[in-house]
Amino acid sequence: MKVQCALSALCILALAACATAPRLPKRASVQVWLSTANGEKQLAREADLAFDVSTNASTIIDIDADKRHQAMIGFGAAITDSSAWLIEKRMDAAQRDKLLHELFARGDGGLGIDFTRLTIGASDFSRAHYSLDDMPPGQADPALAHFSLAPKIADTGAEQVLPVVRAALAINPQLKVMASPWSAPAWMKTNDSLLHGTLKYEYHAAFADYLVKYVDAMAAAGVPIFALTVQNEPRFNPPDYPSMLLSAGARRLLIGEHLGPELAKRERPPLIFDWDHNWDIETEPLAVLADPPANRYVAAVAWHCYAGYVDAQTRVHDAYPDKDAYLTECSGGDWKPMKDDGLLTITRRLLIGSVRGWSRGVLLWNLALDENHGPHAGGCKNCRGLVTIDSRTGNFTRTVDYVALAHASRFVRPDARRVESSEGRNDVDNVVFRNADDGSLVMIVANSSPSAQRFVARGTGRAFTYEMPARSVATFVWR
């Protein structure tokens, strides 16, 4: 997953000065923000473009703004235990307030995060392993009498999650919060451990109740849960942090017979997303959606980016067009292509590819990590967050993941719709949105070519021309 690719001091100043796109005047012009993979430009405001009738380019992007597709929930990253611990324990009040406003506010340079993810119990990015109903070995708690949002193990980072999420919601009340477990409590599992194993059949109902209790407890604590998955990466069995294998058959039963009916009793239940794993095994969500009882309760398929190809999203959507898609985890880090090519990889695969593949929301992994890619308890040793918090001083720097995400999150607002645009060519990829509040159009373009590429964007009787620098990303905004 992630490494710390902090921007230079000059780039940081440029980022701080670069505010969200202002409301556009009625006069026709196109605003442009540009980033280059070599770091020379980071969200740099370029000169406005005038509309013309030129088609003098090898690449033409045709836009049909009247043909609208999915409505967007938003873009963001996960508030892991580690992220929350750093924000609460390693920053002073002024530093914390500055960071949270920059991440969650709109306007005045805010990143505009509208979507986030929490872990139900520990992940690898916790300071220790725990569940929300741990019991001594050999003991069980099917009535969940010992359930608590505060784990029995101290200083895991879980204690800091609620304060951070509540502060984020105060800054951005539109923030959508989803949640995923990495494991059921050990006593529910075949091996009596948070690591490895699978869910015992006799504890399907208890695990569903465990997830419902979490939803209710979070609501009582002031954090409404927008969506749930029943298991993070259910086909992955890592050696050193909580996990649980959960087959398509087990998820079908859990959702169709237990969790779905229980949540349906609530006035505003969270949505249920299936899968929450990679693009490479599309047969897994298809098997769940093929089951009528489970299909009734599954609202969407959640995807991760670590294996396979993004076109799996489109194939599953084509098979079940009434089900939404979300990209719920992808991390930057010290591995190829993320190490040297994070800007273009994140933009092309997630902000463009996954959204063209019907995603309504895109989430990167950790919101924040420290200078040592942590803290963590097992798992990824070279991951990076949107920001890097210096654990000694509390100061933060923005990573290339932040820059890539900002090309969407600062400009595409909640309920914006993706609109029709032509497929990429000549290493130039694009996605286009129409904002619901003011009708403005937002186009994200990535040029992966080692040379500059000139394109024409045209639609609604108007066109503009732009020459993308080699290996660059740009956001265009116009009315």
Side-chain angles (χ1 to χ4, degrees), residues 104-426:
F104 293 97
R106 286 201 167 274
D108 299 325
L111 190 58
I113 287 177
D114 291 308
F115 189 27
T116 192
R117 185 180 184 218
L118 308 180
T119 69
I120 304 174
S123 72
D124 46 335
F125 284 94
S126 301
R127 287 167 50 82
H129 299 162
Y130 67 92
S131 80
L132 304 183
D133 195 346
D134 289 327
M135 296 295 291
Q139 296 185 32
D141 183 26
L144 302 176
H146 299 280
F147 177 94
S148 174
L149 292 178
K152 295 179 175 63
I153 300 172
D155 204 26
T156 63
E159 306 93 325
Q160 285 75 47
V161 169
L162 276 173
V164 170
V165 180
R166 283 193 290 240
L169 283 165
I171 295 165
N172 180 5
Q174 295 187 84
L175 180 68
K176 295 290 192 295
V177 181
M178 70 164 290
S180 306
W182 265 238
S183 173
W187 54 267
M188 294 187 188
K189 297 172 65 180
T190 53
N191 64 343
D192 209 19
S193 171
L194 293 176
L195 278 62
H196 313 299
T198 189
L199 186 66
K200 291 181 179 179
Y201 177 78
E202 60 265 32
Y203 286 132
H204 273 61
F207 186 49
D209 290 344
Y210 175 85
L211 297 177
V212 172
K213 273 183 122 19
Y214 171 82
V215 170
D216 290 345
M218 291 296 283
V223 179
I225 299 299
F226 160 72
L228 281 175
T229 64
V230 298
Q231 175 59 38
N232 173 73
E233 299 188 343
R235 288 287 296 267
F236 185 44
N237 216 357
D240 56 359
Y241 65 89
S243 65
M244 185 170 72
L245 297 178
L246 205 61
S247 68
R251 298 197 313 279
R252 278 199 315 257
L253 291 172
L254 182 63
I255 295 169
E257 296 187 4
H258 302 289
L259 182 62
E262 282 301 312
L263 288 177
K265 297 175 184 177
R266 278 149 178 76
E267 184 177 351
R268 294 183 180 176
L271 303 177
I272 298 175
F273 298 168
D274 183 48
W275 192 218
D276 212 8
H277 207 168
N278 292 326
W279 294 318
D280 60 336
I281 318 179
E282 63 196 73
T283 52
E284 281 275 326
L286 287 171
V288 172
L289 294 175
D291 179 67
N295 181 291
R296 176 183 175 188
Y297 298 109
V298 173
V301 176
W303 299 94
H304 295 186
C305 75
Y306 306 115
Y309 299 95
V310 69
D311 53 3
Q313 292 187 192
T314 298
R315 288 192 294 272
V316 173
H317 177 269
D318 288 349
Y320 293 93
D322 61 324
K323 304 302 180 185
D324 291 326
Y326 290 81
L327 195 290
T328 54
E329 186 185 316
C330 191
S331 181
D334 191 10
W335 60 84
K336 291 184 180 296
M338 287 295 189
K339 179 179 180 181
D340 305 316
D341 202 21
L343 175 69
L344 283 161
T345 300
I346 291 170
T347 304
R348 290 187 70 211
R349 296 175 73 192
L350 309 186
L351 305 181
I352 296 175
S354 181
V355 173
R356 291 186 73 100
W358 300 98
S359 280
R360 296 188 62 195
V362 173
L363 288 171
L364 298 183
W365 188 204
N366 290 276
L367 188 73
L369 291 176
D370 68 17
E371 70 278 10
N372 298 311
H373 316 297
H376 58 88
C380 182
K381 298 176 176 61
N382 56 354
C383 291
R384 68 177 174 238
L386 290 188
V387 298
T388 301
I389 295 174
D390 189 318
S391 62
R392 298 152 298 188
T393 66
N395 295 325
F396 72 91
T397 52
R398 305 158 186 85
T399 72
V400 69
D401 302 30
Y402 177 112
V403 176
L405 192 72
H407 273 279
S409 63
R410 281 188 174 180
F411 307 99
V412 180
R413 297 189 282 277
D415 297 322
R417 284 193 174 269
R418 178 173 70 91
V419 302
E420 186 74 8
S421 63
S422 53
E423 295 281 351
R425 56 176 299 184
N426 298 327

